[in-house]
Amino acid sequence: MTGVPASAAGGSSGARRAAAGAAAAASTAAPGKVAGTAAARSADGGAPAAGPSASSGGRHGGTAGAAAADEAVPGGDAGLDAQDEGKTPRGAKIAAAAVNQASVWNIANLLTMLRLVLVPAFVALMLADGGYDPAWRSLAWAAFAIAMITDLFDGHLARTYNLVTDFGKIADPIADKAIMGAALICLSALGDLPWWVTGIILGRELGVTLLRFWVIRYGVIPASRGGKLKTLTQGVAVGMYVLALTGWLATLRWWVMAAAVVLTVVTGLDYVKQAIVLRRQGIAERKAALEEKEA
């Protein structure tokens, strides 16, 4: 009886075991290959891979990409906004150029011109019919009140809306002093106000103007609250004297004018002090700059 050797049987069995192991390895590698192919197709935008999980993954990936793109858009808009903020609109440039070309005729300067025109009108009304007619004095008071009110607004408008011009810098203080000086001189000429009051007020205004020119190379003396209060008190007092008041109102205007005179003197001395301090500081700064330059 012929039998199969044990070694041959073992070899056949080993070969079968080896083949089974190779098949298992191949089956294990196949899903990885399919997954890799699906991933490649998803990346290239091809057909979705077999299986619901691959399709779901592709859809989720596309949704995430779209969301990322949507998030990038606001950033782009922000960049455009930043660029727009850095640029001056064309319309603004044209408007600025128009303001510069017509700066002399802006609203602030027009109010100053109106105040200058009101000066001779006020004098004519004040002296009409001998200067003692209550009706003409009332009209003169109206002209004086308009001039004082415009004085409150023209400077504010010029600073707020950038309407400051060389004409305004010169004409505004001239108009202020012209209307106040005309009123004081008319009142003193008519005998309603002592000349020494007119002299103190006008002398102070002239002195402050000269002080400003004296220290202009070193700086500018700013307007103080006391100076503004002085201007308001003077306006009220002079306005009350322009009107033909009697009784207790005539007594009241005397006290208001007395307060105006006191404020005039006090603020005038304060201006003198500020001018001296400003000039000393300016001289010291120039001297220090020269020494530093020489060193």
Side-chain angles (χ1 to χ4, degrees):
M1 179 176 183
T2 304
V4 179
S7 60
S12 176
S13 176
R16 285 195 300 270
R17 286 196 300 270
S27 63
T28 303
K33 182 177 180 181
V34 173
T37 303
R41 288 180 178 178
S42 298
D44 295 337
S53 60
S55 298
S56 175
R59 286 194 299 270
H60 289 304
T63 304
D70 291 340
E71 291 179 357
V73 171
D77 292 342
L80 292 176
D81 293 341
Q83 292 178 359
D84 291 340
E85 290 178 359
K87 297 180 180 178
T88 303
R90 185 178 179 182
K93 292 182 179 179
I94 296 175
V99 169
N100 290 332
Q101 291 177 0
S103 58
V104 176
W105 300 104
N106 61 57
I107 183 63
N109 286 345
L110 289 176
L111 290 176
T112 301
M113 295 177 192
L114 174 63
R115 197 157 67 253
L116 288 170
V117 172
L118 285 173
V119 173
F122 166 80
V123 173
L125 294 170
M126 189 72 181
L127 301 178
D129 199 12
Y132 296 103
D133 189 334
W136 289 110
R137 294 283 286 258
S138 297
L139 293 175
W141 176 87
F144 179 81
I146 293 173
M148 297 304 295
I149 291 173
T150 57
D151 181 34
L152 297 176
F153 285 103
D154 59 355
H156 175 72
L157 290 173
R159 290 186 298 270
T160 303
Y161 298 102
N162 195 22
L163 301 176
V164 178
T165 62
D166 293 336
F167 173 81
K169 292 178 182 178
I170 298 173
D172 182 68
I174 292 176
D176 297 343
K177 293 172 177 57
I179 189 66
M180 182 60 68
L184 290 170
I185 292 174
C186 286
L187 289 171
S188 295
L190 293 172
D192 293 338
L193 189 68
W195 278 104
W196 64 268
V197 174
T198 298
I200 289 177
I201 295 177
L202 294 184
R204 185 264 189 196
E205 298 300 328
L206 178 61
V208 168
T209 301
L210 294 177
L211 280 175
R212 286 177 173 173
F213 280 109
W214 182 49
V215 299
I216 194 170
R217 69 180 66 180
Y218 306 109
V220 178
I221 302 176
S224 62
R225 292 183 178 179
K228 295 178 181 179
L229 180 60
K230 179 268 307 178
T231 301
L232 177 62
T233 308
Q234 282 183 0
V236 173
V238 172
M240 294 180 72
Y241 268 87
V242 169
L243 289 172
L245 300 178
T246 57
W248 67 272
L249 289 176
T251 303
L252 177 62
R253 71 182 182 182
W254 186 92
W255 286 105
V256 176
M257 182 60 74
V261 171
V262 171
L263 288 173
T264 298
V265 174
V266 172
T267 55
L269 294 176
D270 182 63
Y271 267 104
V272 172
K273 178 183 176 181
Q274 291 187 55
I276 294 174
V277 172
L278 183 61
R279 186 172 184 272
R280 288 178 178 176
Q281 290 178 350
I283 293 174
E285 290 176 358
R286 287 193 174 189
K287 185 177 180 181
L290 290 175
E291 292 177 354
E292 183 179 356
K293 186 177 180 180
E294 291 177 356

